[in-house]
Amino acid sequence: MGSREVLGQAARLASSGLLLQVLFRLITFVLNAFILRFLSKEIVGIVNVRLTLLYSTTVFLAREAFRRACLSGGAQRDWNQTFNLLWLTVPLGMFWSLLLGWVWLQLLEVPDPNAVPHYGSGVVLFGLSAVVELLGEPFWVLAQAQMFVKLKVIAESLSVILKSVLTAFLVLWSPHWGLYIFSLAQLFYTAVLVLCYVIYFTKLLGSSESTKQQTLPVSRMTDMLPSITRSRAFVNWKEAKLTWSFFKQSFLKQILTEGVYDIVNNLGSLVARLIFQPIEESFYIFFAKVLERGKDATLQKQEDMAVAATVLESLLKLALLVGLTITIFGFAYSQLALDIYGGVMLSSGSGPVLLRSYCLYVLLLAINGVTECFTFAAMSKEEVDRYNFTMLALSSSFLVLSYLLTQWCGSVGFILANCFNMGIRITQSLCFIHRYYRKSPHRPLVGLCLSPALLGAFALSGGITGISEVLLCCEQGWPARLAHIAVGALCLGMTIGTAFLTETRLIHFVRTQLGVSRLADKTL
């Protein structure tokens, strides 16, 4: 598979990820609005924050490192060893599920059983659902490596829809079950998700006429199960060591940066999840397939290097534009967004300052997602270890800074400390990218440079919308709010128009890849 074909597949993965995220957010929003008519907000809050955090943390710590390492292998890998390594996510998930479950039950404050019944059972079932999802990890990695986009879309969409239907049915039928409703629905969701992958590969491997089946590195389902032979090691130790390096990095990342999501989570992280996460996941696969890990840029295939540089430059430009747009307009519309979302209680307190700070964090998050997805796909195992050591060395300064800034300016200080931490990570990645391309004719970091006209449009928009907020928002009623929104829409249109006129390379890249994605989709 050539680099340009891989690029088209990655673009399709990213676009399908965006569509899935929009679908999931819409379903969640409608479902929450329905559930709140029958259940207390305390129960919904425990599910959406505490139990979901337990599930996502368990899954992240158990599989993230394995995914990064196992998606980096070349075509000549021994897939039996890769599958053996991936099955280790299941016992690791059991360990994290038990450990974090104990923390959730013994160290964190347990909710009032009268207001939130069956909390203990909820913790157990959400932890169990994480382990069930890990049973599908070998199938997921193989599907991603083969770029089976439709499989991911169908499996995740069907799982979410059926989970929502079951939740709504149980809420209507037995609202007194409390957390049992969401726990059973979550367990059902992970079971359906895994079954979709298992059924797909069972049918695919059973059809000798399938062209996809002929390209797979396995010929029957038992090839994907753990296997021990005397002729080779149980796992590829190079892959295992890379997994360990990524695990140390994932653990530090989870501990040092993920806590900020609990603050203004519903609004602040929405765009980050909708846009940046699918792009980072999909194009990590692209870079991992196109580039040979740990090999100098001059030793790579030059056509692949040119395509990778073009893609990296365009992604950096796109991340910068989206991040700046969120930051500039977020500053002027944070108060209005919180006022519409939660009323005066949110918009009159510290909420607007928190959300404005988070807008700056989203800008750094956007750039970091792109730079790290390239860096971690190209780094050797030794370079990943050095990166982890630097993160560990900086962790003490981050914790000290978090404490000082939190004492000085409350929750905003924690977000600012995370901005500092994210800035350090971006700097490390930029230094790696600069060294990587230093001896080549490609300079992808120019993607972080905007034209003077576009910078002027952003500055003008920030000034105009800032004045509009002071004059029109938010105590003068809906006519003034609508006028403030109209001013923002005009400024946004001006900024986007300037981007279309000045950033022609980016516009060409996006249009080209959308065309490639549609063409490739017709061939599936």
Side-chain angles (χ1 to χ4, degrees):
M1 187 182 291
S3 58
R4 296 188 181 278
E5 187 179 357
V6 175
L7 174 58
Q9 300 272 18
R12 290 170 54 229
L13 273 177
S15 60
S16 65
L18 290 172
L19 291 174
L20 283 174
Q21 288 292 339
V22 172
L23 173 65
F24 298 166
R25 293 295 116 190
L26 180 62
I27 290 176
T28 301
F29 178 81
V30 174
L31 190 62
N32 282 341
F34 168 77
I35 290 171
L36 284 171
R37 297 176 178 271
F38 299 91
L39 300 177
S40 68
K41 61 181 181 181
E42 289 81 10
I43 291 179
V44 177
I46 287 293
V47 172
N48 289 342
V49 177
R50 192 177 291 192
L51 294 183
T52 300
L53 181 62
L54 168 66
Y55 160 80
S56 61
T57 303
T58 300
V59 169
F60 180 85
L61 292 175
R63 77 182 181 192
E64 180 71 11
F66 290 85
R67 284 187 170 185
R68 286 191 178 275
C70 293
L71 285 171
S72 301
Q76 305 304 317
R77 78 166 85 193
D78 185 334
W79 271 97
N80 287 323
Q81 291 180 323
T82 298
F83 289 137
N84 288 343
L85 183 63
L86 286 169
W87 281 110
L88 295 179
T89 59
V90 177
L92 186 60
M94 293 178 180
F95 166 77
W96 284 116
S97 178
L98 291 172
L99 178 61
L100 294 176
W102 177 80
V103 171
W104 257 241
L105 291 172
Q106 302 298 326
L107 300 185
L108 298 182
E109 180 183 357
V110 176
D112 182 1
N114 294 321
V116 184
H118 316 302
Y119 174 73
S121 300
V123 169
V124 172
L125 289 174
F126 266 80
L128 177 60
S129 70
V131 176
V132 170
E133 183 166 344
L134 293 172
L135 292 172
E137 201 60 20
F139 307 98
W140 186 92
V141 169
L142 180 59
Q144 291 293 97
Q146 298 295 315
M147 297 289 190
F148 291 168
V149 180
K150 287 185 177 180
L151 172 58
K152 178 181 178 181
V153 172
I154 293 173
E156 296 191 9
S157 300
L158 181 63
S159 303
V160 169
I161 292 172
L162 291 179
K163 172 188 173 182
S164 302
V165 171
L166 178 61
T167 303
F169 173 76
L170 291 177
V171 166
L172 287 173
W173 183 52
S174 298
H176 60 278
W177 281 14
L179 290 183
Y180 275 135
I181 295 173
F182 302 95
S183 304
L184 293 174
Q186 181 67 24
L187 190 58
F188 180 70
Y189 159 78
T190 56
V192 171
L193 185 62
V194 172
L195 279 175
C196 285
Y197 281 93
V198 172
I199 292 171
Y200 178 85
F201 279 108
T202 300
K203 293 184 64 177
L204 184 63
L205 294 173
S207 173
S208 58
E209 300 178 357
S210 172
T211 56
K212 287 184 178 180
Q213 190 272 346
Q214 298 171 8
T215 64
L216 290 176
V218 295
S219 58
R220 55 185 184 273
M221 287 294 290
T222 54
D223 292 340
M224 303 175 70
L225 298 175
S227 60
I228 301 175
T229 61
R230 295 183 179 180
S231 60
R232 64 174 184 272
F234 181 70
V235 298
N236 182 325
W237 287 107
K238 181 179 178 181
E239 214 168 45
K241 290 176 182 177
L242 183 61
T243 302
W244 173 243
S245 297
F246 277 129
F247 173 77
K248 290 183 289 185
Q249 175 202 104
S250 300
F251 184 79
L252 287 171
K253 179 182 176 182
Q254 188 76 5
I255 296 299
L256 296 180
T257 62
E258 295 302 314
V260 74
Y261 286 114
D262 290 338
I263 304 171
V264 293
N265 178 66
N266 287 328
L267 292 177
S269 64
L270 181 60
V271 177
R273 290 177 177 178
L274 287 178
I275 299 177
F276 305 139
Q277 184 178 351
I279 289 177
E280 181 180 351
E281 290 178 350
S282 302
F283 283 95
Y284 172 81
I285 298 174
F286 164 74
F287 290 127
K289 279 181 168 287
V290 169
L291 303 175
E292 292 189 49
R293 179 179 294 278
K295 184 177 287 190
D296 188 79
T298 57
L299 302 178
Q300 304 274 359
K301 294 180 180 179
Q302 291 309 301
E303 181 185 356
D304 292 346
M305 282 294 297
V307 173
T310 300
V311 171
L312 179 58
E313 177 185 340
S314 300
L315 291 179
L316 285 172
K317 184 83 70 176
L318 180 64
L320 182 61
L321 287 176
V322 174
L324 272 177
T325 302
I326 293 171
T327 302
I328 296 297
F329 289 91
F331 267 71
Y333 288 87
S334 291
Q335 185 177 0
L336 179 60
L338 289 172
D339 189 71
I340 295 174
Y341 186 77
V344 179
M345 180 172 21
L346 283 180
S347 62
S348 62
S350 61
V353 179
L354 279 173
L355 196 52
R356 289 185 184 111
S357 303
Y358 202 94
C359 289
L360 175 61
Y361 180 74
V362 168
L363 169 61
L364 298 175
L365 194 69
I367 298 173
N368 181 72
V370 173
T371 56
E372 283 195 348
C373 86
F374 175 87
T375 299
F376 297 149
M379 274 182 171
S380 66
K381 185 259 180 190
E382 292 73 21
E383 287 170 325
V384 173
D385 285 337
R386 286 198 295 270
Y387 180 93
N388 293 339
F389 180 79
T390 304
M391 280 188 67
L392 186 60
L394 290 170
S395 62
S396 58
S397 62
F398 167 76
L399 294 174
V400 171
L401 185 63
S402 297
Y403 174 78
L404 294 176
L405 289 176
T406 302
Q407 292 293 315
W408 178 43
C409 48
S411 299
V412 174
F414 186 68
I415 298 179
L416 295 178
N418 273 280
C419 289
F420 169 79
N421 183 54
M422 196 63 64
I424 295 296
R425 287 167 56 179
I426 291 172
T427 302
Q428 286 183 273
S429 297
L430 292 180
C431 289
F432 173 84
I433 295 170
H434 174 72
R435 291 194 304 269
Y436 189 84
Y437 280 103
R438 183 172 48 193
K439 297 179 181 179
S440 77
H442 309 293
R443 297 293 179 266
L445 293 183
V446 299
L448 293 176
C449 299
L450 299 179
S451 65
L454 186 53
L455 288 174
F458 274 118
L460 184 61
S461 295
I464 292 175
T465 54
I467 295 172
S468 173
E469 181 184 33
V470 173
L471 298 177
L472 301 174
C473 189
C474 286
E475 294 83 14
Q476 302 181 40
W478 272 104
R481 295 179 187 178
L482 293 175
H484 181 44
I485 294 173
V487 170
L490 290 173
C491 290
L492 181 60
M494 175 194 68
T495 304
I496 293 176
T498 306
F500 267 87
L501 293 175
T502 58
E503 303 298 338
T504 53
R505 282 172 57 89
L506 175 63
I507 302 303
H508 174 73
F509 172 81
V510 173
R511 286 176 174 172
T512 301
Q513 293 318 307
L514 287 176
V516 169
S517 300
R518 288 195 294 267
L519 180 61
D521 187 52
K522 293 178 182 178
T523 64
L524 285 177

